[in-house]
Amino acid sequence: MRLGWIAFCTILRKEIRRFMRIWVQTIVPPVITMTLYFVIFGQLIGSRIGEMGGFSYMQFIVPGLIMMSSLTNAFTNVASSFYSTKFARNVEELLISPTSPHVIILGYMMGGMVRGICIGVLVTVVSLLFVSFEIHAWSVIFVTLLLTTATFALGGLINAVFAHSFDDISIVPTFVLTPLTYLGGVFYSIALLPPFWQAVSKLNPIVYMINGFRYGFLGISDVPLVYTFAVLSVFILALYGFAYYLISRGIGLRS
């Protein structure tokens, strides 16, 4: 237990120091990007759209933008870091050490969660320059953010295991995460869609994450809150189990 705790703290500390050391590249760009979203979509376009769901358009999109920045950074942090360890063959030393696969997974997962939550907090602070909130449920915000960043951190770890080059790391964020996020109700309510496309949208897991987060801020959601936690729980269990299988077997890691 003591050795496992030391190994976990070492991995987590390494992960945090890694992205904090190059904060100009890891923290500043997503905050600037979200600020541009606030200005363009919230202020310029939002003033013409009017209200959505009983709130100003700016208030409506801010929770989705915060969630989008958090999940993206949680994913990319673990994917890039773990692949760098794999590329440098350091992961082989980790595998032959007494460190449990659980410790390896939790260490990298927590590192991604810390970066995702850090970005989320900073984007929230910036959003307060443009709009004010009366928070509906802090507990829902906190739990949804934790579960979502954990889900995508695990996804980033699995992506790194299967990646064969640094280019492979960007495939999932570019061709999977970005389309699912933009179609996940960040900029619109899925209630505005025809019934068929509403049903299709509900197959997108990010819809539940964004709506759960929006419920915490505004008290409105296009899907029942219990579905949000159910979907997140299922994904975490499935991804964690798959990550454990891959690392315990050394699949894609041992030369």
Side-chain angles (χ1 to χ4, degrees):
M1 289 291 292
R2 182 173 178 272
L3 290 176
W5 176 251
I6 293 173
F8 169 77
C9 292
T10 301
I11 295 173
L12 178 58
R13 184 165 59 247
K14 176 184 75 72
E15 288 300 290
I16 295 175
R17 286 180 175 176
R18 175 182 172 273
F19 73 80
M20 289 300 296
R21 186 172 60 250
I22 51 173
W23 61 273
V24 175
Q25 302 174 37
T26 57
I27 295 178
V28 175
V31 174
I32 293 176
T33 300
M34 289 302 111
T35 303
L36 294 175
Y37 276 115
F38 294 149
V39 173
I40 296 172
F41 288 95
Q43 298 286 59
L44 300 180
I45 299 177
S47 60
R48 297 177 180 271
I49 293 177
E51 292 189 352
M52 185 169 292
F55 295 89
S56 69
Y57 187 67
M58 184 68 170
Q59 288 177 312
F60 183 84
I61 67 171
V62 163
L65 291 174
I66 296 171
M67 180 58 73
M68 181 170 72
S69 62
S70 294
L71 65 87
T72 302
N73 280 274
F75 184 96
T76 56
N77 185 80
V78 181
S80 60
S81 177
F82 194 78
Y83 180 75
S84 297
T85 304
K86 173 183 168 182
F87 180 79
R89 301 293 178 86
N90 295 329
V91 70
E92 296 179 6
E93 299 175 2
L94 195 59
L95 292 176
I96 64 174
S97 72
T99 305
S100 166
H102 289 296
V103 172
I104 298 173
I105 295 170
L106 291 174
Y108 279 95
M109 183 185 77
M110 286 296 296
M113 291 174 65
V114 170
R115 178 174 166 183
I117 293 171
C118 179
I119 297 297
V121 170
L122 291 176
V123 172
T124 302
V125 171
V126 172
S127 72
L128 295 177
L129 300 175
F130 300 90
V131 67
S132 60
F133 288 105
E134 292 183 4
I135 303 299
H136 179 73
W138 280 105
S139 58
V140 175
I141 292 174
F142 181 72
V143 173
T144 305
L145 185 60
L146 281 182
L147 294 179
T148 301
T149 51
T151 299
F152 282 91
L154 289 170
L157 181 63
I158 294 171
N159 185 29
V161 170
F162 286 107
H164 297 291
S165 67
F166 283 100
D167 292 334
D168 292 341
I169 296 174
S170 63
I171 291 177
V172 173
T174 302
F175 296 103
V176 179
L177 289 188
T178 300
L180 289 180
T181 303
Y182 278 94
L183 297 174
V186 174
F187 299 103
Y188 61 89
S189 169
I190 65 172
L192 299 175
L193 301 175
F196 173 77
W197 291 110
Q198 286 188 39
V200 172
S201 295
K202 290 178 180 179
L203 299 176
N204 180 357
I206 296 182
V207 166
Y208 300 91
M209 303 171 191
I210 290 175
N211 275 278
F213 203 60
R214 183 174 288 135
Y215 178 86
F217 275 91
L218 307 177
I220 60 173
S221 177
D222 294 327
V223 295
L225 188 62
V226 66
Y227 288 179
T228 294
F229 296 132
V231 167
L232 283 167
S233 299
V234 169
F235 267 88
I236 287 176
L237 291 174
L239 292 174
Y240 189 95
F242 190 41
Y244 180 83
Y245 172 78
L246 294 174
I247 292 178
S248 62
R249 297 294 184 89
I251 298 174
L253 302 177
R254 293 190 173 97
S255 58

